[in-house]
Amino acid sequence: MKLLLVAGARPNFMKIAPIIRALRAKSKELSEICISFNSMPSAPCSKLSWKLVHTGQHYDYEMSQAFFDDLEINRPDYFLGVGSGSHAVQTARIMIAFEEVCYKERPDMVVVVGDVNSTVACALVAKKLGIGVAHVEAGLRSRDLTMPEEINRMVTDLLSDWLFVSEKSGIENLKKEGKSDSSIFFVGNIMIDTLYYNLNRLNDSTTHGPIDGDYAVLTLHRPSNVDPENKLKEIMGAIFEIGSDLPVYFPVHPRTRERMEVIGLVNKFDGGPVHLLPPLPYKSFLKLYKDASLVLTDSGGLQEETTALGIPCFTIRENTERPVTIEEGTNTLVGVTGGGILSAFEKFKKGENKRGRIPELWDGKAAERIVSILLRKID
Ligand code: UD1
């Protein structure tokens, strides 16, 4: 049985790392299974082998290699180097390059994670070649088709044979879309595997920014928030006001940095309470936000990570595909207006915070469950 594991963009790397670790652990446990590593590409005894494909959707050191180093992911067997482009161009380039890999490797199964363009592109290629597709983080739905990720999620799930679900809403969503019970596996949240694994490994990782006193952390990169000039100015205006009460540390995504430079926003923050940082490696970022009083974000994964750590989170969006973080966790949807963000912050200042609890199966063992299920399917 040969697996191809696909990762392409920053939020994929923390999802693929625990799968690789679980595959390695399983191979030790089951002596008859031999996994082919980079260093011995054609291990003679292997019943199960895997190779890692990095599409190159993200390519800056801070967005890619820093995560491989931090998360101890071995060098990819294939680097497709597709880079940036419009959605069609990027998705098409990934498809063309990944199809070549599939022809060469003839895998039995392709494992894709998350909801980025690399996820949908590789799922589509595999399915058309008759290769089984496993999707990790299946079933999440925002019902907002203006989000490219929602399209990616829906198409990927439609094509997938094995659907690994992180929260219960995913089971219902997939059933409503006609997926069979036998293809859906509620395994818990793989992001949280990486979170717990790395919480104990922070000692020698560096971080930028604060450490004394209270502070907030901001991330912002969604095109709908950062591409329109007025929207970005409005959101950053609200953040600036929050900064006068609570210093804000802001690792800036390259897309956002570029937009801020174009509209002359970057210099406005010099010496002020909103501290712009470069994109941080996984452990440095974790070290920064784990002690924050408040996180503001439009990311998907950070909504989950803050829920797991019990940190209040303001999600700067109108909707979320991760409703368990609202219903059970510490997440609040504050919308995308300056007024919405500031009125939520007023409540926060009065101590009106959600306490939250950790959702079911967010226990650091999702990857073990996924690998056990995949091995059962192989038998
Ligand atoms: C992608 C994902 C998004 C995810 C985000 C995390 C899709 C549709 N979107 O969005 O779901 O939350 O990654 O970061 O797949 N760029 C660089 N260096 C890089 C990568 C990107 O400078 O290493 C810049 C380029 O200008 C590029 C832009 O960022 O055009 C956008 O990159 P892209 O991968 O298209 O989408 P993201 O906004 O990063």
Side-chain angles (χ1 to χ4, degrees), residues 309-328:
L309 294 178
I311 304 166
C313 177
F314 288 178
T315 294
I316 305 174
R317 287 176 47 189
E318 302 284 7
N319 51 52
T320 178
E321 60 289 332
R322 292 161 160 91
V324 78
T325 61
I326 307 268
E327 288 152 16
E328 298 183 21

mmCIF file of all heavy atoms in Angstrom, residues 309-328:
data_model
loop_
_atom_site.group_PDB
_atom_site.id
_atom_site.type_symbol
_atom_site.label_atom_id
_atom_site.label_comp_id
_atom_site.label_asym_id
_atom_site.label_seq_id
_atom_site.Cartn_x
_atom_site.Cartn_y
_atom_site.Cartn_z
ATOM 1 N N LEU A 309 -6.914 26.060 24.281
ATOM 2 C CA LEU A 309 -6.111 26.637 25.372
ATOM 3 C C LEU A 309 -6.933 27.538 26.296
ATOM 4 O O LEU A 309 -6.397 28.095 27.255
ATOM 5 C CB LEU A 309 -4.940 27.444 24.790
ATOM 6 C CG LEU A 309 -3.887 26.631 24.030
ATOM 7 C CD1 LEU A 309 -2.811 27.542 23.465
ATOM 8 C CD2 LEU A 309 -3.257 25.583 24.924
ATOM 9 N N GLY A 310 -8.224 27.713 25.991
ATOM 10 C CA GLY A 310 -9.086 28.535 26.858
ATOM 11 C C GLY A 310 -8.813 30.023 26.761
ATOM 12 O O GLY A 310 -9.078 30.778 27.698
ATOM 13 N N ILE A 311 -8.295 30.481 25.628
ATOM 14 C CA ILE A 311 -8.004 31.915 25.445
ATOM 15 C C ILE A 311 -9.184 32.571 24.715
ATOM 16 O O ILE A 311 -9.612 32.062 23.667
ATOM 17 C CB ILE A 311 -6.734 32.096 24.579
ATOM 18 C CG1 ILE A 311 -5.545 31.360 25.198
ATOM 19 C CG2 ILE A 311 -6.415 33.576 24.365
ATOM 20 C CD1 ILE A 311 -4.369 31.210 24.242
ATOM 21 N N PRO A 312 -9.696 33.703 25.197
ATOM 22 C CA PRO A 312 -10.763 34.387 24.445
ATOM 23 C C PRO A 312 -10.304 34.728 23.022
ATOM 24 O O PRO A 312 -9.179 35.201 22.837
ATOM 25 C CB PRO A 312 -11.010 35.675 25.246
ATOM 26 C CG PRO A 312 -10.451 35.402 26.602
ATOM 27 C CD PRO A 312 -9.337 34.409 26.429
ATOM 28 N N CYS A 313 -11.176 34.454 22.057
ATOM 29 C CA CYS A 313 -10.833 34.693 20.653
ATOM 30 C C CYS A 313 -11.944 35.495 19.991
ATOM 31 O O CYS A 313 -13.122 35.138 20.103
ATOM 32 C CB CYS A 313 -10.666 33.348 19.937
ATOM 33 S SG CYS A 313 -10.321 33.492 18.186
ATOM 34 N N PHE A 314 -11.585 36.590 19.324
ATOM 35 C CA PHE A 314 -12.532 37.342 18.488
ATOM 36 C C PHE A 314 -12.247 36.964 17.039
ATOM 37 O O PHE A 314 -11.146 37.225 16.536
ATOM 38 C CB PHE A 314 -12.326 38.850 18.613
ATOM 39 C CG PHE A 314 -12.756 39.463 19.919
ATOM 40 C CD1 PHE A 314 -12.571 40.823 20.130
ATOM 41 C CD2 PHE A 314 -13.342 38.707 20.922
ATOM 42 C CE1 PHE A 314 -12.968 41.411 21.322
ATOM 43 C CE2 PHE A 314 -13.740 39.277 22.127
ATOM 44 C CZ PHE A 314 -13.549 40.638 22.320
ATOM 45 N N THR A 315 -13.223 36.393 16.378
ATOM 46 C CA THR A 315 -13.033 36.035 14.976
ATOM 47 C C THR A 315 -13.613 37.142 14.099
ATOM 48 O O THR A 315 -14.812 37.452 14.176
ATOM 49 C CB THR A 315 -13.664 34.671 14.680
ATOM 50 O OG1 THR A 315 -12.919 33.703 15.408
ATOM 51 C CG2 THR A 315 -13.600 34.324 13.203
ATOM 52 N N ILE A 316 -12.736 37.736 13.296
ATOM 53 C CA ILE A 316 -13.113 38.898 12.479
ATOM 54 C C ILE A 316 -13.691 38.375 11.159
ATOM 55 O O ILE A 316 -13.065 38.399 10.101
ATOM 56 C CB ILE A 316 -11.895 39.825 12.280
ATOM 57 C CG1 ILE A 316 -11.327 40.207 13.658
ATOM 58 C CG2 ILE A 316 -12.277 41.068 11.467
ATOM 59 C CD1 ILE A 316 -10.037 41.007 13.605
ATOM 60 N N ARG A 317 -14.870 37.798 11.276
ATOM 61 C CA ARG A 317 -15.592 37.244 10.134
ATOM 62 C C ARG A 317 -17.079 37.279 10.451
ATOM 63 O O ARG A 317 -17.474 37.466 11.599
ATOM 64 C CB ARG A 317 -15.158 35.779 9.895
ATOM 65 C CG ARG A 317 -13.774 35.650 9.293
ATOM 66 C CD ARG A 317 -13.332 34.207 9.150
ATOM 67 N NE ARG A 317 -14.360 33.354 8.566
ATOM 68 C CZ ARG A 317 -14.266 32.028 8.507
ATOM 69 N NH1 ARG A 317 -13.182 31.416 8.968
ATOM 70 N NH2 ARG A 317 -15.229 31.310 7.984
ATOM 71 N N GLU A 318 -17.896 37.023 9.408
ATOM 72 C CA GLU A 318 -19.350 36.973 9.600
ATOM 73 C C GLU A 318 -19.819 35.567 9.959
ATOM 74 O O GLU A 318 -20.956 35.375 10.371
ATOM 75 C CB GLU A 318 -20.079 37.383 8.301
ATOM 76 C CG GLU A 318 -19.736 38.761 7.769
ATOM 77 C CD GLU A 318 -20.394 39.879 8.558
ATOM 78 O OE1 GLU A 318 -21.006 39.601 9.598
ATOM 79 O OE2 GLU A 318 -20.268 41.040 8.118
ATOM 80 N N ASN A 319 -18.972 34.564 9.689
ATOM 81 C CA ASN A 319 -19.395 33.177 9.901
ATOM 82 C C ASN A 319 -18.176 32.327 10.214
ATOM 83 O O ASN A 319 -17.043 32.784 10.050
ATOM 84 C CB ASN A 319 -20.086 32.641 8.633
ATOM 85 C CG ASN A 319 -19.224 32.875 7.389
ATOM 86 O OD1 ASN A 319 -18.059 32.505 7.364
ATOM 87 N ND2 ASN A 319 -19.779 33.519 6.377
ATOM 88 N N THR A 320 -18.449 31.109 10.653
ATOM 89 C CA THR A 320 -17.325 30.185 10.847
ATOM 90 C C THR A 320 -17.750 28.790 10.431
ATOM 91 O O THR A 320 -18.914 28.404 10.621
ATOM 92 C CB THR A 320 -16.834 30.165 12.307
ATOM 93 O OG1 THR A 320 -15.770 29.200 12.406
ATOM 94 C CG2 THR A 320 -17.932 29.787 13.303
ATOM 95 N N GLU A 321 -16.820 28.051 9.877
ATOM 96 C CA GLU A 321 -17.064 26.645 9.540
ATOM 97 C C GLU A 321 -16.755 25.758 10.747
ATOM 98 O O GLU A 321 -16.854 24.549 10.661
ATOM 99 C CB GLU A 321 -16.210 26.231 8.338
ATOM 100 C CG GLU A 321 -14.700 26.354 8.499
ATOM 101 C CD GLU A 321 -14.217 27.807 8.524
ATOM 102 O OE1 GLU A 321 -14.895 28.664 7.925
ATOM 103 O OE2 GLU A 321 -13.176 28.081 9.164
ATOM 104 N N ARG A 322 -16.368 26.376 11.848
ATOM 105 C CA ARG A 322 -15.964 25.624 13.048
ATOM 106 C C ARG A 322 -16.892 25.997 14.210
ATOM 107 O O ARG A 322 -16.470 26.586 15.198
ATOM 108 C CB ARG A 322 -14.508 25.953 13.373
ATOM 109 C CG ARG A 322 -13.546 25.405 12.316
ATOM 110 C CD ARG A 322 -12.196 26.095 12.368
ATOM 111 N NE ARG A 322 -11.149 25.320 11.729
ATOM 112 C CZ ARG A 322 -10.810 25.442 10.438
ATOM 113 N NH1 ARG A 322 -11.434 26.303 9.653
ATOM 114 N NH2 ARG A 322 -9.838 24.697 9.944
ATOM 115 N N PRO A 323 -18.213 25.659 14.108
ATOM 116 C CA PRO A 323 -19.183 26.149 15.095
ATOM 117 C C PRO A 323 -18.925 25.655 16.514
ATOM 118 O O PRO A 323 -19.336 26.303 17.468
ATOM 119 C CB PRO A 323 -20.531 25.634 14.554
ATOM 120 C CG PRO A 323 -20.188 24.523 13.627
ATOM 121 C CD PRO A 323 -18.852 24.842 13.048
ATOM 122 N N VAL A 324 -18.222 24.543 16.656
ATOM 123 C CA VAL A 324 -17.984 24.046 18.017
ATOM 124 C C VAL A 324 -17.156 25.035 18.830
ATOM 125 O O VAL A 324 -17.275 25.105 20.056
ATOM 126 C CB VAL A 324 -17.319 22.635 17.972
ATOM 127 C CG1 VAL A 324 -15.833 22.718 17.655
ATOM 128 C CG2 VAL A 324 -17.527 21.890 19.281
ATOM 129 N N THR A 325 -16.346 25.851 18.149
ATOM 130 C CA THR A 325 -15.536 26.835 18.878
ATOM 131 C C THR A 325 -16.404 27.951 19.460
ATOM 132 O O THR A 325 -16.015 28.616 20.417
ATOM 133 C CB THR A 325 -14.457 27.465 17.968
ATOM 134 O OG1 THR A 325 -15.106 28.155 16.880
ATOM 135 C CG2 THR A 325 -13.502 26.428 17.421
ATOM 136 N N ILE A 326 -17.602 28.147 18.873
ATOM 137 C CA ILE A 326 -18.554 29.141 19.391
ATOM 138 C C ILE A 326 -19.426 28.486 20.464
ATOM 139 O O ILE A 326 -19.628 29.035 21.543
ATOM 140 C CB ILE A 326 -19.495 29.635 18.260
ATOM 141 C CG1 ILE A 326 -18.700 30.112 17.056
ATOM 142 C CG2 ILE A 326 -20.503 30.658 18.778
ATOM 143 C CD1 ILE A 326 -18.360 31.549 17.033
ATOM 144 N N GLU A 327 -19.937 27.279 20.106
ATOM 145 C CA GLU A 327 -20.919 26.633 20.989
ATOM 146 C C GLU A 327 -20.278 26.118 22.270
ATOM 147 O O GLU A 327 -20.879 26.154 23.338
ATOM 148 C CB GLU A 327 -21.589 25.469 20.240
ATOM 149 C CG GLU A 327 -22.544 25.954 19.157
ATOM 150 C CD GLU A 327 -22.685 24.977 17.999
ATOM 151 O OE1 GLU A 327 -22.296 23.800 18.144
ATOM 152 O OE2 GLU A 327 -23.173 25.401 16.923
ATOM 153 N N GLU A 328 -19.052 25.617 22.168
ATOM 154 C CA GLU A 328 -18.409 25.022 23.347
ATOM 155 C C GLU A 328 -17.140 25.754 23.761
ATOM 156 O O GLU A 328 -16.688 25.629 24.893
ATOM 157 C CB GLU A 328 -18.054 23.550 23.068
ATOM 158 C CG GLU A 328 -19.269 22.707 22.789
ATOM 159 C CD GLU A 328 -18.914 21.238 22.577
ATOM 160 O OE1 GLU A 328 -17.833 20.800 23.020
ATOM 161 O OE2 GLU A 328 -19.730 20.536 21.957
#
